[in-house]
Amino acid sequence: GQQVMQIPQYQHVQEGEDFTTYCNSSTTLSNIQWYKQRPGGHPVFLIQLVKSGEVKKQKRLTFQFGEAKKNSSLHITATQTTDVGTYFCAGQGEGGSEKLVFGKGTKLTVNP
Amino acid sequence: NAGVMQNPRHLVRRRGQEARLRCSPMKGHSHVYWYRQLPEEGLKFMVYLQKENIIDESGMPKERFSAEFPKEGPSILRIQQVVRGDSAAYFCASSPSVRRSGSGNEQFFGPGTRLTVL
């Protein structure tokens, strides 16, 4: 079945440093979604990427979808303490299934 | 507009008891998804339901677990004869019914139910 791998599992940065998490699917995706979960909280939708090679920006966050629609990345510029949390990618396979397959997430901690 | 509601937020059960987890989707949403999350792990898909129908239950254990989404009322995830390995956070998410081809619906998550089996 479809698998979604995400690296790194943990990332610890100093405030102001950049951060990147990578996501790779075993199969071609229809779309990929990114979610953020704060400690003790629930996942919150950040963005969805649909097109091959798509790049989207949200302030300091940049999301990319690979040309083959099998990988994606999230890059945060100049991290802040409010960026702390776990970032998950979630892929939806081709074929019309509504099922989302989540990566294990990257847990980001930021030292002030 | 109220978000996805789940109750209870915390549930403690002894081995062998039954656990019932409830989820009320956002107003206007007819798709409900259940996920399980172990500490330091990602979310594992369990089941996808629409009103009165189970669409995809490929992530549900074959025994002891069942889910429903009746015409009236919340969606229920039921775990019979709980064991310690069932201890986890169970999240429900909902999404609207219409989606454009190729794109997916963002899923709105509830606060989760933390199940502890003693």
Side-chain angles (χ1 to χ4, degrees):
Chain A
Q2 180 190 346
Q3 292 185 348
V4 175
M5 316 293 277
Q6 197 174 347
I7 57 168
Q9 191 173 355
Y10 302 95
Q11 186 74 59
H12 182 77
V13 300
Q14 288 294 127
E15 190 172 18
E17 290 181 340
D18 292 357
F19 157 76
T20 305
T21 172
Y22 301 91
C23 186
N24 194 52
S25 169
S26 59
T27 59
T28 303
L29 299 170
S30 167
N31 64 81
I32 194 156
Q33 301 178 20
W34 285 90
Y35 291 78
K36 177 184 178 180
Q37 184 177 23
R38 292 182 186 276
H42 60 276
V44 175
F45 175 83
L46 293 177
I47 209 158
Q48 178 184 208
L49 303 167
V50 179
K51 298 176 185 172
S52 168
E54 189 169 15
V55 178
K56 285 189 177 180
K57 293 193 175 189
Q58 285 180 351
K59 297 182 181 177
R60 294 177 297 104
L61 277 62
T62 301
F63 304 84
Q64 290 188 315
F65 200 9
E67 294 290 339
K69 298 184 74 173
K70 292 181 73 174
N71 54 65
S72 182
S73 65
L74 157 59
H75 180 81
I76 303 179
T77 304
T79 54
Q80 299 174 359
T81 54
T82 51
D83 295 326
V84 162
T86 302
Y87 293 84
F88 293 99
C89 62
Q92 206 161 33
E94 295 179 318
S97 169
E98 296 286 339
K99 177 180 169 180
L100 273 180
V101 177
F102 279 78
K104 289 197 171 183
T106 296
K107 186 174 182 178
L108 173 65
T109 53
V110 180
N111 242 11
Chain B
N1 189 10
V4 178
M5 298 201 295
Q6 288 187 252
N7 66 80
R9 296 288 303 275
H10 299 273
L11 183 60
V12 179
R13 285 287 177 264
R14 295 191 182 280
R15 279 179 300 170
Q17 290 184 320
E18 179 179 288
R20 277 182 173 244
L21 288 61
R22 294 174 186 77
C23 169
S24 295
M26 283 182 71
K27 188 177 180 182
H29 286 191
S30 59
H31 296 208
V32 165
Y33 314 81
W34 285 93
Y35 295 88
R36 179 161 76 176
Q37 186 177 40
L38 295 169
E40 305 294 314
E41 293 278 325
L43 293 109
K44 184 169 181 277
F45 168 83
M46 298 182 75
V47 62
Y48 159 44
L49 310 103
Q50 294 179 20
K51 282 286 186 183
E52 300 184 274
N53 288 306
I54 296 175
I55 307 301
D56 183 343
E57 57 180 348
S58 56
M60 286 272 274
K62 297 295 180 200
E63 296 178 352
R64 303 188 298 109
F65 285 72
S66 62
E68 62 177 11
F69 189 15
K71 189 177 179 182
E72 302 290 338
S75 175
I76 307 281
L77 179 67
R78 184 180 175 208
I79 311 173
Q80 295 177 290
Q81 299 173 324
V82 295
V83 301
R84 288 220 174 103
D86 296 333
S87 296
Y90 291 84
F91 288 96
C92 163
S94 73
S95 69
S97 57
V98 179
R99 78 172 169 104
R100 300 182 303 277
S101 174
S103 67
N105 281 323
E106 69 174 273
Q107 295 186 9
F108 296 81
F109 282 79
T113 294
R114 269 80 177 168
L115 172 65
T116 303
V117 179
L118 302 177

